[in-house]
Amino acid sequence: MSLRLSTVILPYLRWHEGGRSAWQRAEQLGFHTAFTYDHLSWRTFRDGPWFGAVPTLTAAAAVTDRLRLGTLVTSPNFRHPVTLAKELISLDDISAGRVTLGIGAGGTGFDATALGQDPWTPRERADRLAEFVPLLDRLLTEDSVTSEGTFYSAHEARNIPGCAQRPRLPFAVAATGPRGLRLAARHGQAWVTTGDPKLYETGTPEQSVQAIRGQAGKLADACAEIGRDAAELDKILLTGFTPDRGRPLESLDAFVDFAGRHAELGITDIVIHWPIPDSDFAADEKVFERIAMEAPAQLR
């Protein structure tokens, strides 16, 4: 299978001042999927414009025809499975079945305290995700769901007619720990990694490749435990968080080399950030577009 190339368009642009055109251009460039971050605010963008993921994806669905759309990633930090399921079913219908839900445990950023709670520990986040994902799975596949959980409950939650995609829209589960990898193995149609965050500051690209190889091996083990072939899952690398940082976007050759090394690990999808001037995701737009148009053919 050819390596697929996708992008992340951060929701910081007003729709009529560059937002709409970015999503349309992503489709014109031939990206497989255009994702956005599902945060209430994020890092250095906190004090500037930042729009909601689901309304943004709904608008993007209305101005594109072929481009798949998704979140990287949605988390329990401020979401509840019952309300999220209704939004996802609506979005999947509007897009005619082009939605992928990226989902993960979340972190300790601004989302973690925006609703007034104290930040959850890694264990607490994992506990919630372990309950969130199976309940969301049911909500997207059953007409009526009643469930009493420790963190999330549903009482006769109706979700008719369900997703346009059957049996439901695909889950791309972001995970590196054992519990998250087991969730990906059981419920995911894809697995998402950003590499090993401990290597970002002081690690080398070679160490990062080895770390991702190890993560993929643990995913395979988690799949084997339940009798599933790990080859059934797409394997998505969200770039920008490995020691390579922005170097793969410096030239077409640099990107092809980077992507090829990760394809050898079994990665099926590489996701690159849409260029944002004066940010960690700054990149030459002409080089970015050349990568989008020419790299996939070199990676077949």
Side-chain angles (χ1 to χ4, degrees):
M1 182 178 66
S2 300
L3 188 71
R4 291 184 292 253
L5 184 58
S6 297
T7 190
V8 170
I9 301 173
L10 297 192
Y12 76 103
L13 292 171
R14 288 187 179 274
W15 189 248
H16 298 290
E17 297 175 4
R20 172 179 179 152
S21 61
W23 292 87
Q24 291 177 316
R25 185 59 177 155
E27 181 166 81
Q28 293 167 359
L29 290 170
F31 282 110
H32 178 264
T33 305
F35 296 97
T36 198
Y37 285 0
D38 189 14
H39 291 297
L40 297 174
S41 60
W42 191 68
R43 297 191 182 181
T44 58
F45 294 86
R46 188 184 193 192
D47 294 321
W50 188 271
F51 297 96
V54 173
T56 296
L57 292 170
T58 303
V63 299
T64 57
D65 297 307
R66 303 175 307 280
L67 184 70
R68 287 197 63 82
L69 308 164
T71 58
L72 274 186
V73 292
T74 294
S75 82
N77 266 343
F78 63 94
R79 294 291 189 181
H80 189 285
V82 171
T83 51
L84 178 61
K86 185 65 69 174
E87 293 186 351
L88 292 172
I89 287 170
S90 303
L91 177 58
D92 202 43
D93 181 69
I94 291 166
S95 69
R98 290 187 284 135
V99 177
T100 295
L101 177 72
I103 189 165
T108 58
F110 307 125
D111 295 345
T113 56
L115 300 186
Q117 76 270 31
D118 292 329
W120 299 324
T121 66
R123 183 184 182 86
E124 288 172 327
R125 293 198 301 272
D127 288 343
R128 283 163 173 78
L129 187 68
E131 193 172 296
F132 193 106
V133 172
L135 178 55
L136 184 61
D137 194 333
R138 288 188 61 197
L139 289 161
L140 294 175
T141 53
E142 301 175 22
D143 289 346
S144 178
V145 174
T146 294
S147 175
E148 296 296 329
T150 303
F151 307 107
Y152 306 105
S153 298
H155 179 68
E156 295 184 1
R158 298 292 202 275
N159 284 303
I160 301 169
C163 294
Q165 301 174 84
R166 293 294 181 172
R168 61 158 167 77
L169 54 80
F171 289 178
V173 181
T176 55
R179 296 176 70 189
L181 290 169
R182 286 196 293 270
L183 281 176
R186 185 168 297 279
H187 297 280
Q189 285 65 56
W191 164 66
V192 182
T193 182
T194 58
D196 184 342
K198 296 190 294 292
L199 298 175
Y200 180 71
E201 294 290 346
T202 60
T204 66
E206 292 73 21
Q207 290 173 322
S208 178
V209 166
Q210 290 301 319
I212 294 171
R213 178 179 284 111
Q215 292 171 357
K218 292 176 182 177
L219 175 67
D221 292 341
C223 287
E225 287 178 6
I226 60 170
R228 186 177 185 187
D229 184 354
E232 295 177 7
L233 280 78
D234 292 334
K235 298 165 184 68
I236 301 169
L237 173 63
L238 174 60
T239 65
F241 303 101
T242 65
D244 309 86
R245 304 194 185 189
R247 288 191 291 275
L249 296 185
E250 291 179 354
S251 70
L252 175 61
D253 288 344
F255 179 79
V256 169
D257 177 69
F258 171 87
R261 284 186 282 117
H262 288 85
E264 292 174 357
L265 306 178
I267 296 295
T268 60
D269 298 72
I270 299 278
V271 184
I272 57 179
H273 288 81
W274 199 264
I276 302 176
D278 303 316
S279 77
D280 290 341
F281 306 121
D284 186 304
E285 291 188 13
K286 290 182 178 178
V287 173
F288 176 85
E289 293 201 353
R290 187 180 179 202
I291 288 169
M293 291 185 290
E294 300 182 28
Q298 295 192 32
L299 293 164
R300 287 175 184 161

